[in-house]
Structure formats: C-alpha cells, structure tokens
Amino acid sequence: MFSYVWPMALIVFSNVVYQICCKSVPDGLNPFASLSVTYLVGAAISILLYFLLKKPGNLLQEYHKLNWAPFMLGIAIVGLEVGFIYAYKAGWQVSTASIVQSSFLAVLLIFVGWTLYHEAFTWNKIAGVFICLVGLAVIRLK
C-alpha cells in the first residue's frame, strides 16, 4: 500500500510547492532566466540522486538508453512552467488556475488514454468529464 500511496503524496506536495514557486517568481524577472536556474538545480539534484540511489551502473551508459521521451518531456516541462508563470503574472489566482488546467487536462487525458494506450472509456470517466465541465462552469472564469 505504501508503494502505491507515497508517489501520489510526493506529487501533491511537490505540486503545492511548485505552484507557490511559480506564483512567487518576481514580476521583473524574465521567466526564462528563472527557469534556467530551476533546471540547473534540478539537474544537479537528479545527478546527485542518481549516484546516491543507483544500482551498479554508469550514468553515460544510461544516457545511451535514451529515446525521444526525455527530450520532449524537457520541452513539455518548460511549457508547463512558463505557462503557469505567465498565467500568474496575468492575474490568475493559484486556486483557479490549477483547477482550470486540471479539469481540461483530465478531460483530454481520458481521450489520450483511450486512443494511445487502449484504456477503457467507461461511464465513470464520462461522468468525471461532466463533473469537470460543471466545475468549470461553477468557477465562472472572468
């Protein structure tokens, strides 16, 4: 059970910290300058954890196993982070921005899961889409 719960707890905690940090980037600071520091810190921590937690192996040999996914993930992460930074600079509230993006994301990922990964498209998921859309209507975007 712990192995199932701890990753989600880490995601939720990290996402709270992430949103606070995105909202706290100074207005006068170029978001890409901020992200360059973010990625240097992230790279340093990733390399440190690789060596602290690794099984026998070589980092350069691990890099030989790379495919397209880590490169596209890097692009996607830049999009996510700069998107949130600009959203907050434009006046989005932390509570609203997260709910809006999560609702749209949930709806889109149902179709992604069905199309790319052959996940079941169930009545529960259709109800979830409906609830997400109702939630967006309740929030009433300005």
Side-chain angles (χ1 to χ4, degrees), residues 5-138:
V5 173
W6 84 263
M8 196 56 60
L10 178 61
I11 291 168
V12 170
F13 173 77
S14 296
N15 207 329
V16 169
V17 173
Y18 170 86
Q19 297 298 336
I20 291 168
C21 292
C22 284
K23 181 79 171 168
S24 301
V25 170
D27 285 337
L29 177 62
N30 182 302
F32 296 105
S34 174
L35 289 178
S36 68
V37 172
T38 299
Y39 296 127
L40 287 172
V41 171
I45 290 172
S46 295
I47 291 169
L48 178 66
L49 288 174
Y50 173 82
F51 288 112
L52 289 176
L53 304 176
K54 76 170 184 146
K55 297 174 182 169
N58 179 310
L59 185 57
L60 293 178
Q61 288 175 342
E62 291 295 318
Y63 289 154
H64 285 256
K65 300 175 190 174
L66 292 172
N67 67 359
W68 61 271
F71 298 98
M72 288 304 298
L73 182 59
I75 293 169
I77 289 171
V78 171
L80 282 170
E81 292 176 351
V82 80
F84 271 114
I85 291 169
Y86 278 123
Y88 292 138
K89 287 179 181 277
W92 279 83
Q93 295 178 353
V94 172
S95 56
T96 307
S98 180
I99 291 170
V100 170
Q101 72 83 28
S102 292
S103 295
F104 281 115
L105 179 64
V107 171
L108 289 171
L109 287 179
I110 287 173
F111 294 104
V112 168
W114 179 64
T115 305
L116 297 180
Y117 302 105
H118 310 291
E119 295 175 357
F121 194 75
T122 64
W123 286 107
N124 288 348
K125 291 179 183 176
I126 293 170
V129 167
F130 179 74
I131 291 169
C132 285
L133 296 176
V134 169
L136 290 175
V138 170

